Amino acid sequence: MVSYKFNRESRLLTPGQFQTVFSKPVRYSSQHFTILISPTTLDNDSTSKNRLGLAIAKKRVKLAVQRNRMKRLVRESFRLNQHKLPAIDMVVMVKSGIDQLDNTQINKQLEKIWRKIIQRHKN
């Protein structure tokens, strides 16, 4: 059965976990997103096989309201697509101008990146 949960196990929590992704990432980009991924460091018995971290800089998205909106949209998109993704840890970063887009445009860009990641990791 496919689980659509987004719980504590689905998140990168400690600076160390973020650091492992930042140390040797594979980079995926779109016009407004940069997603860094690395193979997951989780044990096989864990419930969720991939984890999400968010790095939404105040420099890129000035208003807290907009930063929180980005985080909500990314989390929701990840939650719905996580069962298709390979076993990876990822950090999502945004580029300037993303706060001008509406939710459907942001979701389209995320969908495109998820598809790209799934295609490249089919092996």
Side-chain angles (χ1 to χ4, degrees):
M1 196 189 98
V2 176
S3 165
Y4 288 104
K5 287 183 183 162
F6 184 76
N7 51 18
R8 200 169 164 81
E9 284 86 58
S10 307
R11 302 190 345 235
L12 294 178
L13 298 168
T14 65
Q17 291 171 342
F18 274 87
Q19 206 48 56
T20 53
V21 178
F22 283 122
S23 61
K24 284 198 190 91
V26 177
R27 184 177 300 245
Y28 291 89
S29 293
S30 75
Q31 193 180 354
H32 291 284
F33 285 102
T34 301
I35 297 184
L36 307 176
I37 69 169
S38 70
T40 189
T41 53
L42 288 174
D43 306 331
N44 288 339
D45 60 346
S46 177
T47 50
S48 63
K49 62 183 180 10
N50 39 37
R51 296 183 296 180
L52 173 71
L54 297 164
I56 313 256
K58 203 184 275 189
K59 183 179 179 183
R60 303 272 172 250
V61 184
K62 297 278 185 277
L63 299 176
V65 171
Q66 294 291 4
R67 284 196 303 278
N68 293 336
R69 179 174 72 104
M70 295 306 136
K71 291 176 190 176
R72 270 197 314 275
L73 290 169
V74 172
R75 275 191 214 113
E76 182 63 7
S77 180
F78 173 78
R79 186 181 74 80
L80 296 173
N81 290 287
Q82 64 185 343
H83 63 281
K84 299 178 206 161
L85 293 168
I88 53 174
D89 289 346
M90 69 176 80
V91 175
V92 175
M93 300 186 301
V94 298
K95 300 177 185 172
S96 298
I98 192 163
D99 48 353
Q100 308 301 314
L101 301 181
D102 63 25
N103 294 1
T104 50
Q105 291 171 307
I106 291 170
N107 280 324
K108 273 188 192 140
Q109 284 197 18
L110 285 168
E111 286 291 326
K112 211 178 270 183
I113 293 178
W114 300 144
R115 276 200 304 273
K116 208 186 288 183
I117 292 171
I118 293 161
Q119 287 282 262
R120 293 232 186 112
H121 287 81
K122 272 203 170 127
N123 15 2

